[in-house]
Amino acid sequence: MPASPSTARAINDRSALGLLQDRGPLTAGQLKQLTGLSRPTVADLVERLGAAGLITVVGESGAARRGPNARLYGIAADRAHLAALDVRTEGVAVLVADLVGRVLAEASVPIEGDTGTGPAVQRVVAAVAGAVGRAGAERLHTVGIGAPGLIDPATGDLRDSAGLPAWHRSLSAALQERLPGARVTVENETNLAALAEQREGAARDRDTFVLLWLGHGTGAAVVLDGTLRRGASGGTGEIGFLPVPGTPTLPSATDCSGGFHTLAGAAAVVSLGAEHGLPTPATTDGPGAAGLVRESVERVLAAGRSAGAGRAEHGPGDRSAVAAGEHEPGDRSAGAAAGEPVATRGADAGHPVGRKPRPVAEGRPVVGGGAWEEIPAAGEPVVARGAGADAGTTVGREASEGGPQEALGGEEPPAVGEPTGREPATAADPAGTAAGADERFLSALADRIAIGAASVVAVLDPGCVVLGGEIGHAGGDVLAGLVAQRLRRMSPLPTEVRAGALGGSAVLRGALLTARDRAQDTLWSDPSRSPVPS
């Protein structure tokens, strides 16, 4: 049955508005070409959307050609203002943006642990009001809030969760009371991070993936066939409660201690760094743990660059390996897109080795020295060869000067950090020894993360795991590659592991994207009824 005239107009309007949102300002002629609509129909919808205050003339096009210039139409950015909040245990981050998502004002509110519910809520509400004023907005149309904990599917409110401040649950109602007419919505923080990574970050090319949140706490977001899955009670992805080996106790219904959180939460990461003799941050929150991981990765990469420079002085015959995760100049694996093959060449540059290249997405960021080396197939030991006794140390594996050293009895080579009886002398390779503690730390951290990731992969088979949050972002390709190596040993299901691109800012960005989507859905549902702002 053909659509009614009003339905057809609504479809055409939404199509035009979507194009203007995605592509920026367009002329009427460009809208005609992109929508396939007739010139009179496009002229009609441009007039209608302009009268509703949803689009406006933002410039002219065609100054280089003869004749009158064509008007450029764009979304009326000031048609509505939005707010996004990232609610954490220790405070709240706030931003205010216009309808196209351009950030106009920001604020940050620290909340001490002994602050009562009333004062905490008042501080946050005052910060939001202040940001609205600085943005030059008269009122807010939609507010998106990202918070830890479970969201009740029936009410859309935060459920009472042990370990989380009581003021979290009061914030939504307080904002709704202070901002009459605004639509206030709450979503789990990890779900918002997954939305942001899918729209603007590491998962833009995936419609099925799992985001593993690694920050102050741990969590997971599940996106299957392009749809975010929340579960019957809103608890999909509460991986912090997952019982795992390596913890002294089991989690309970009210306490995730003993679960995956105990292995991979920020406090556990900082403690792990201290066990390996690394300088630890003053705070054990997400940013503090992320700084520890980032500095370890940087030292490992710097040691690899230093070793590479030393090898260059000895000529191309020296094939000692770089530190784990390091890439030689020109090696495309350092920035290759997921699934893009990594070129492999033997000692004689330009002559292919006899093995099929493996994609960097499979997580082997270990590359050879003076000439590029082939990437070992799954199941083969990853080794490094060098002139110094410690030059062969690589994350998760060991090697000697003479080449690969197989594990005795066919066993898996010991993980870095485990005593082997063949530890190198400190004086043999000062640069390698300096990075040894960092390598062992990153290897142990990857072991822990892989336990949680493997559990998710075994149940969901997502094909892709994104290491999100501050810690996942800080670990970058090095940590993602180490986790991928372990997943290949633990699971028969092929799984790509990627580092999150947005880090801790993903929650705030996801809250803004959600607020923008909901505001546009409301305003664009029937432009003829959309009141023009006074």
Side-chain angles (χ1 to χ4, degrees):
M1 186 175 69
S4 66
S6 61
T7 301
R9 283 195 299 270
I11 294 173
N12 293 340
D13 291 346
R14 290 296 294 262
S15 176
L17 288 165
L19 287 168
L20 291 170
Q21 173 69 66
D22 295 338
R23 297 176 179 246
L26 298 169
T27 65
Q30 291 170 326
L31 284 171
K32 173 183 178 298
Q33 181 180 8
L34 292 170
T35 61
L37 299 173
S38 68
R39 187 180 301 277
T41 301
V42 170
D44 180 56
L45 74 82
V46 166
E47 182 180 357
R48 183 167 57 252
L49 295 177
L54 296 179
I55 67 173
T56 185
V57 177
V58 296
E60 293 183 343
S61 176
R65 63 177 176 80
R66 299 175 64 181
N69 297 335
R71 293 179 176 180
L72 276 172
Y73 297 95
I75 299 293
D78 60 352
R79 178 64 183 81
H81 289 90
L82 322 167
L85 282 72
D86 179 3
V87 179
R88 305 288 181 99
T89 303
E90 68 280 2
V92 177
V94 181
L95 64 79
V96 175
D98 58 24
L99 188 57
V100 298
R102 184 172 58 244
V103 177
L104 305 175
E106 298 180 80
S108 180
V109 189
I111 305 292
E112 295 77 15
D114 58 352
T115 305
T117 297
V121 169
Q122 290 174 7
R123 288 186 196 175
V124 177
V125 171
V128 172
V132 170
R134 290 192 299 277
E138 293 184 4
R139 64 186 186 89
L140 291 175
H141 183 281
T142 305
V143 179
I145 302 174
L150 301 178
I151 308 297
D152 190 325
T155 65
D157 296 329
L158 273 172
R159 291 172 51 185
D160 187 0
S161 301
L164 295 176
W167 61 266
H168 282 194
R169 298 189 304 278
S170 304
L171 183 58
S172 176
L175 285 171
Q176 190 68 77
E177 181 180 355
R178 177 67 180 268
L179 305 169
R183 301 176 64 199
V184 180
T185 58
V186 185
E187 178 60 273
N188 175 267
E189 59 178 356
T190 308
N191 289 342
L192 291 177
L195 170 65
E197 291 285 2
Q198 186 181 35
R199 298 269 288 272
E200 301 179 346
R204 280 176 290 183
D205 60 337
R206 307 290 305 205
D207 62 359
T208 295
F209 71 99
V210 167
L211 180 129
L212 194 62
W213 180 267
L214 302 170
H216 181 74
T218 58
V222 178
V223 178
L224 301 178
D225 299 325
T227 302
L228 181 69
R229 305 295 180 177
R230 294 178 174 84
S233 62
T236 295
E238 285 295 321
I239 197 173
F241 286 85
L242 178 72
V244 293
T247 59
T249 62
L250 289 174
S252 69
T254 58
D255 187 359
C256 62
S257 298
F260 181 64
H261 172 83
T262 301
L263 287 185
V269 172
V270 171
S271 178
L272 183 65
E275 291 174 14
H276 286 81
L278 301 181
T280 55
T283 60
T284 58
D285 57 3
L292 170 64
V293 172
R294 184 180 298 105
E295 290 170 5
S296 285
V297 169
E298 289 173 351
R299 285 191 292 266
V300 166
L301 296 180
R305 286 190 291 269
S306 176
R311 288 194 299 275
E313 296 177 1
H314 293 84
D318 184 355
R319 293 169 54 81
S320 56
V322 300
E326 173 62 355
H327 305 273
E328 289 291 313
D331 174 21
R332 295 181 67 237
S333 68
E340 187 172 297
V342 180
T344 57
R345 295 202 292 264
D348 185 7
H351 290 72
V353 298
R355 183 173 298 160
K356 180 181 178 182
R358 303 183 68 83
V360 68
E362 293 189 5
R364 291 189 179 274
V366 180
V367 186
W372 295 357
E373 293 191 359
E374 55 195 290
I375 299 177
E380 296 184 16
V382 179
V383 297
R385 299 187 291 275
D390 192 45
T393 302
T394 206
V395 176
R397 297 289 189 271
E398 60 181 2
S400 66
E401 180 178 359
Q405 183 168 344
E406 299 288 348
L408 298 178
E411 296 177 358
E412 179 74 13
V416 173
E418 295 180 1
T420 65
R422 299 182 295 275
E423 279 68 32
T426 301
D429 185 357
T433 302
D438 295 294
E439 292 179 348
R440 290 189 291 272
F441 163 67
L442 293 173
S443 178
L445 178 58
D447 288 340
R448 294 183 174 196
I449 295 172
I451 291 174
S455 301
V456 173
V457 167
V459 175
L460 298 174
D461 186 18
C464 178
V465 173
V466 175
L467 303 184
E470 296 94 344
I471 296 172
H473 178 65
D477 291 339
V478 171
L479 184 59
L482 295 173
V483 174
Q485 289 176 4
R486 285 147 178 79
L487 280 182
R488 275 198 306 278
R489 298 199 300 264
M490 299 168 69
S491 172
L493 306 177
T495 305
E496 184 182 356
V497 180
R498 301 178 180 180
L502 303 177
S505 66
V507 176
L508 198 58
R509 190 64 194 168
L512 177 58
L513 289 170
T514 300
R516 190 187 73 184
D517 290 348
R518 289 174 177 169
Q520 291 178 347
D521 282 343
T522 301
L523 294 171
W524 296 355
S525 59
D526 188 355
S528 64
R529 297 182 181 179
S530 225
V532 179
S534 57

